[in-house]
């Protein structure tokens, strides 16, 4: 598996190189459509003791015009000094808060006082007597004064401050979440989280508990509202890519139904909050991609992992069963795609202590193995959940939550962790709004009185209601014109969308049979994108029981594209591939051409055969 680590590094280098090449390559003016509506809305002025307070947008505009972008550490240090000064420093502190929130996308975690060392905190050891404390030591009186003034100033700029952690002696400290409400539903930050695991591990149940607030009865009560089909309710097993959202308001509290605790299935489905209401009340939305755990639905699960572009993967493991079956398959795929992993161990209330200890040891051993190389961290406090949410993706940390959907143990830690995750669209290296429009179609419906509706991910550029676009390629590799009639995001009407967001588009005068998953939507131009039949890629064979030769066929997953491909040629001395081999391979789509680009990651499988690669050249 050491080869896998080096190959993944090479894949990232190729992806970054191709991405930089695409950004520096000149594009036609028709593709670079200006996005006039994408600007922050002005906040309402609020009255203070000294008169009118400048709005967030006005303060930000003044600072960005008059001053260069400051380092976040310097801004935070200046802000703490202003909070400790007399009331004359309120104007400076207010301006610094506005700049800090604007630079960080409307959300920032501010720590006042000393900061504990990470190693003993993540190891659940006594941190009070540990060495390595950082930050400035403050007294409890200073912490209380700074927190009170901070809350007042944040409210004056239109936001909210919520204290997540408050600890006293011997090291007084406070962690405060600062958050601004989004100007519009179309600009609400979103975190995409894919939920995987073996069948009967409790994936749908934990999502039902997290999003609804009520607890499970131990017999699948919480998962009923998540199922999309009748046979899923009858069998209790997810067979499709389900979607569920969890909203957090400006203060960081989860948005849950007012009533909970019902035991009737019909009542549970009725009292569930609508997506539109959650979207309008939320300052951040976590979108869960509920994937199937059964082996027969592996194709569907892989499609959800590759097309949904999740920011993290939540691996759900039943404490009474351990890491068995498809759990290892899903973990291997997440590692191959280089997606950060979070482990949730469920059913801890019904598992004997010896079996729970065995499961925990098994999980730790797998995460520390050469194939994973992750640092497992058991999250057993709010402070650990807050700190691990800021560093887990960068430092190869794998948080482990022990939860019970019946008693509610550990659920607050999971919600706190999800609330602080960075937004998916904030990944500017992956999603660039300045590039030409590229919208990947991941689902298609025919809605009565509306027409054909497509759902998907906006990889590049921006799109607005009424834009003339092209969709394709079809079986002949051509693109057809249409117009975006209406748009929705999380079932709420919007008029614009930017790169990194998932939206649904209603297409004008387009029959349902003309659109399929894997198509792309681009702005209308004289030169449509190229449809590719053959391409070259560098691949690594993760597993194959015999040998792989030319004319071998497998199912390819590349973004939203899912189609059978044939190996045309293999650049290998023996002209064949075995487990662990690397080579340059030429693939050919069997059914019809697709839209792919150099630098895109690919995953192909056939039975137990699995391969990982990256597209290097289009032929």
């Amino acid at each position: 598996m050491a080869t896998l680590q080096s190959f993944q590094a090479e894949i990232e280098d190729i992806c970054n190189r191709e991405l930089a090449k695409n950004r520096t390559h000149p594009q036609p003016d028709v593709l670079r459509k200006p996005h006039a509506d994408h600007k922050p809305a002005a906040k309402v002025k609020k009255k203070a003791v000294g008169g009118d307070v400048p709005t967030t947008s006005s303060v930000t505009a003044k600072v960005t015009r008059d001053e260069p972008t400051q380092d976040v550490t310097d801004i935070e240090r200046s802000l703490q000094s202003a909070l400790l000064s007399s009331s004359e420093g309120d104007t400076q502190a207010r301006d610094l808060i506005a700049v800090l929130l604007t630079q960080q996308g409307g959300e920032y975690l501010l720590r006042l006082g000393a900061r504990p060392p990470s190693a003993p905190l993540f190891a659940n050891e006594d941190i009070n007597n540990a060495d390595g404390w950082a930050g400035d030591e403050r007294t409890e009186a200073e912490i209380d004064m700074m927190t009170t003034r901070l809350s007042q100033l944040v409210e004056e700029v239109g936001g909210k401050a919520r204290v997540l952690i408050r600890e006293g002696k011997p090291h007084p400290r406070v962690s405060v979440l600062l958050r601004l409400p989004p100007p519009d539903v179309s600009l609400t930050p979103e975190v995409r989280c894919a939920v995987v695991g073996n069948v009967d591990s409790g994936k749908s149940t934990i999502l039902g508990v997290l999003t609804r607030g009520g607890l499970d009865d131990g017999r699948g009560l919480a998962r009923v509202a998540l199922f999309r089909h009748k046979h899923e309710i009858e069998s209790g097993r997810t067979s499709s890519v389900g979607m569920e959202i969890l909203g957090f308001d400006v203060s960081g509290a989860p948005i849950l139904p007012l009533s909970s605790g019902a035991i009737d299935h019909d009542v549970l489905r009725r009292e569930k909050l609508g997506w539109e209401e959650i979207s309008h009340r939320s300052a951040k939305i976590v979108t869960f991609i509920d994937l199937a755990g059964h082996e027969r639905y592996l194709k569907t699960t892989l499609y959800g992992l590759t097309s949904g572009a999740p920011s993290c993967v939540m691996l759900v493991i039943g404490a009474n069963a351990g890491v068995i079956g498809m759990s290892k398959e899903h973990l291997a795929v997440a590692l191959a795609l280089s997606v950060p992993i979070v482990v949730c161990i469920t059913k801890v209330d019904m598992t004997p202590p010896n079996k729970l200890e065995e499961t925990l040891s098994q999980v730790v051993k797998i995460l520390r193995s050469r194939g994973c190389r992750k640092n497992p961290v058991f999250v057993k406090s709010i402070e650990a959940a807050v700190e691990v949410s800021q560093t887990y993706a960068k430092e190869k940390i794998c948080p482990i939550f022990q939860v019970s959907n019946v008693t509610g143990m550990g659920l607050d830690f999971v919600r706190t962790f999800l609330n602080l995750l960075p937004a998916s669209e904030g990944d500017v290296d992956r999603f660039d709004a300045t590039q030409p429009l590229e919208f990947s179609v991941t689902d298609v419906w025919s809605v009565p009185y509306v027409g054909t509706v497509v759902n998907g991910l906006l990889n590049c550029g921006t799109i607005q209601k009424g834009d003339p676009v092209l969709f394709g390629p079809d079986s002949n590799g051509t693109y057809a014109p249409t117009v975006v009639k209406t748009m929705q995001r999380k079932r709420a009407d919007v008029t614009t969308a930017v790169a990194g967001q998932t939206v649904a588009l209603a297409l004008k005068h387009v029959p349902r049979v003309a659109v399929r998953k894997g198509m792309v939507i681009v702005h209308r131009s004289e030169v449509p994108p190229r449809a590719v039949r053959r391409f070259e890629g560098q691949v690594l064979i993760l597993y194959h029981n015999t040998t792989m030769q030319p004319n071998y066929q497998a199912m390819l997953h590349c973004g939203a594209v899912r189609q059978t491909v044939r190996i045309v040629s293999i650049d290998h001395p023996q002209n064949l591939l075995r487990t662990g081999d690397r080579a340059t391979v030429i693939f050919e789509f069997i059914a019809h051409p697709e839209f792919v680009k150099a630098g895109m990651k690919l995953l192909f499988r056939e039975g137990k055969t699995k391969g990982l690669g990256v597209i290097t050249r289009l032929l």
Side-chain angles (χ1 to χ4, degrees):
M1 297 301 291
T3 307
L4 174 61
Q5 302 290 333
S6 59
F7 186 69
Q8 286 177 321
E10 292 184 18
I11 287 179
E12 294 298 332
D13 292 339
I14 294 174
C15 293
N16 295 333
R17 184 170 64 248
E18 293 296 334
L19 186 62
K21 186 187 301 182
N22 292 335
R23 290 181 176 178
T24 56
H25 192 275
Q27 299 289 345
D29 293 338
V30 68
L31 292 180
R32 293 185 177 275
K33 184 168 183 178
H35 189 30
D37 295 338
H38 180 46
K39 53 186 177 181
K43 297 289 185 299
V44 179
K45 291 186 178 182
K46 295 195 175 184
K47 278 283 185 178
V49 178
D52 286 342
V53 178
T55 60
T56 302
S57 56
S58 63
V59 171
T60 305
K62 181 182 70 175
V63 174
T64 53
R65 283 195 303 265
D66 299 340
E67 299 179 6
T69 303
Q70 304 179 46
D71 182 73
V72 176
T73 306
D74 296 336
I75 298 176
E76 184 175 328
R77 188 179 297 110
S78 301
L79 175 59
Q80 295 198 30
S81 300
L83 292 174
L84 284 173
S85 63
S86 61
S87 58
E88 298 177 355
D90 284 355
T91 302
Q92 179 189 5
R94 190 185 306 113
D95 292 348
L96 291 172
I97 291 172
V99 173
L100 190 64
L101 288 174
T102 305
Q103 289 188 7
Q104 301 301 314
E107 178 179 309
Y108 189 72
L109 180 64
L110 182 63
R111 302 173 179 88
L112 304 177
R115 293 184 59 180
S118 299
L121 176 64
F122 292 162
N124 296 296
E125 299 175 353
D126 182 20
I127 59 176
N128 291 328
N129 299 321
D131 298 329
W133 284 79
D136 299 323
E137 291 282 353
R138 309 285 187 189
T139 63
E140 293 188 17
E142 291 176 334
I143 293 290
D144 293 339
M145 182 188 69
M146 294 171 70
T147 304
T148 302
R149 293 186 62 187
L150 180 66
S151 300
Q152 296 174 351
L153 295 174
V154 172
E155 289 185 1
E156 290 179 3
V157 299
K160 289 287 185 180
R162 180 180 183 181
V163 176
L164 301 176
I165 303 167
R166 184 187 293 271
E167 297 290 342
K169 296 180 180 180
H171 300 282
R173 58 193 182 275
V174 168
S175 294
V176 187
L177 175 63
L178 313 180
R179 179 173 287 170
L180 288 175
D184 187 66
V185 178
S186 61
L187 298 177
T188 304
E190 176 190 10
V191 180
R192 288 185 292 274
C193 177
V195 183
V196 298
N198 193 50
V199 63
D200 297 332
S201 60
K203 299 182 295 298
S204 299
T205 301
I206 189 174
L207 292 189
V209 172
L210 286 174
T211 57
R212 288 190 58 261
L215 298 177
D216 188 51
D217 63 347
R219 295 184 296 274
L221 177 70
R223 68 189 180 194
V224 173
L226 274 68
F227 288 144
R228 303 173 62 189
H229 305 289
K230 182 179 178 181
H231 70 270
E232 292 180 336
I233 299 176
E234 295 173 348
S235 65
R237 293 180 177 178
T238 304
S239 62
S240 60
V241 179
M243 305 289 287
E244 196 66 27
I245 63 173
L246 171 62
F248 293 93
D249 60 17
V250 184
S251 63
I255 298 175
L256 304 171
L258 295 177
S259 59
S260 60
I263 60 175
D264 184 77
H265 291 181
D266 294 333
V267 174
L268 286 172
R269 300 180 73 88
R270 285 198 305 268
E271 75 175 19
K272 177 184 170 185
L273 279 178
W275 282 29
E276 184 177 3
E277 183 180 355
I278 295 176
S279 300
H280 285 290
R281 294 170 53 185
S282 298
K284 174 182 270 188
I285 295 177
V286 180
T287 301
F288 295 105
I289 308 172
D290 188 14
L291 301 176
H294 200 279
E295 185 176 2
R296 72 176 68 177
Y297 307 122
L298 178 61
K299 175 182 175 182
T300 303
T301 300
L302 291 181
Y303 180 73
L305 284 172
T306 55
S307 65
S311 299
C312 68
V313 169
M314 180 185 294
L315 178 64
V316 181
I317 299 173
N320 58 338
V323 186
I324 60 172
M326 298 306 295
S327 296
K328 296 180 180 179
E329 294 280 346
H330 297 163
L331 177 61
V333 172
L335 290 170
L337 296 175
S338 301
V339 183
I341 300 171
V342 179
V343 176
C344 279
I345 300 179
T346 60
K347 307 180 183 180
V348 296
D349 58 302
M350 61 170 288
T351 306
N354 60 331
K355 179 60 181 178
L356 177 60
E357 185 66 29
E358 179 184 342
T359 300
L360 297 179
S361 301
Q362 183 185 19
V363 171
V364 171
K365 181 179 179 181
I366 292 176
L367 292 177
R368 288 177 175 171
S369 63
R370 294 182 59 190
C372 295
R373 296 187 178 183
K374 298 285 186 179
N375 181 21
V377 173
F378 288 94
V379 180
K380 297 182 178 180
S381 64
I382 294 293
E383 188 169 16
V386 170
E387 295 298 330
V388 78
S389 67
Q390 306 298 304
T391 59
Y392 86 107
K394 302 176 183 178
E395 301 181 5
K396 293 186 176 182
I397 292 175
C398 180
I400 301 177
F401 297 91
Q402 301 179 52
V403 301
S404 170
N405 297 319
V406 176
T407 64
M409 167 189 170
L411 293 175
D412 289 339
F413 303 154
V414 179
R415 288 195 182 99
T416 301
F417 174 81
L418 295 172
N419 182 29
L420 299 176
L421 290 181
S424 299
E425 58 263 31
D427 188 358
V428 294
D429 294 333
R430 185 173 185 180
F431 306 110
D432 190 356
T434 63
Q435 293 295 306
L437 171 65
E438 181 188 322
F439 178 88
S440 300
V441 177
T442 60
D443 218 336
V444 186
W445 307 285
S446 181
V447 181
Y449 309 107
V450 176
T452 301
V453 177
V454 297
N455 184 70
L457 176 66
L458 200 58
N459 296 311
C460 301
T462 60
I463 191 170
Q464 300 179 27
K465 177 182 176 181
D467 279 355
V469 295
L470 298 174
F471 69 94
D474 58 12
S475 57
N476 297 322
T478 59
Y479 290 78
T482 185
V483 175
V484 178
K485 289 197 299 184
T486 57
M487 300 171 54
Q488 284 191 346
R489 185 171 184 233
K490 307 305 175 198
R491 302 176 189 171
D493 292 332
V494 295
T495 58
T496 181
V498 297
Q501 296 180 347
T502 54
V503 292
L505 312 176
L507 304 181
K508 189 175 183 179
H509 302 315
V510 175
R512 165 67 179 83
V513 295
V515 189
R516 57 174 173 79
K517 297 178 182 179
M519 282 187 169
V520 294
I521 294 177
V522 297
H523 276 141
R524 194 176 298 180
S525 63
E526 297 179 357
V527 183
R530 176 188 171 193
V532 178
R533 174 74 74 167
R534 287 190 177 188
F535 61 91
E536 180 185 86
Q538 294 187 19
V539 300
L540 169 67
I541 309 303
L542 301 177
Y543 176 78
H544 188 62
N545 51 8
T546 56
T547 59
M548 194 178 297
Q549 302 179 8
N551 293 322
Y552 179 85
Q553 296 186 5
M555 179 63 69
L556 177 81
H557 296 268
C558 183
V561 173
R562 179 178 63 179
Q563 190 185 154
T564 304
V565 294
R566 178 178 68 92
I567 294 181
V568 178
S569 64
I570 301 175
D571 184 11
H572 193 270
Q574 299 179 351
N575 201 32
L576 53 84
L577 295 174
R578 296 185 177 89
T579 300
D581 286 347
R582 292 173 51 181
T584 301
V585 177
I586 295 179
F587 293 97
E588 181 183 38
F589 289 112
I590 295 296
H592 42 73
E594 299 279 8
F595 174 83
V596 293
K597 298 187 301 183
M600 293 180 66
K601 296 180 182 180
L602 59 89
L603 187 70
F604 60 93
R605 61 164 190 85
E606 190 273 325
K608 293 186 177 180
T609 301
K610 288 186 292 294
L612 174 68
V614 61
I615 299 176
T616 55
R617 186 161 59 98
L618 305 180
L619 303 177

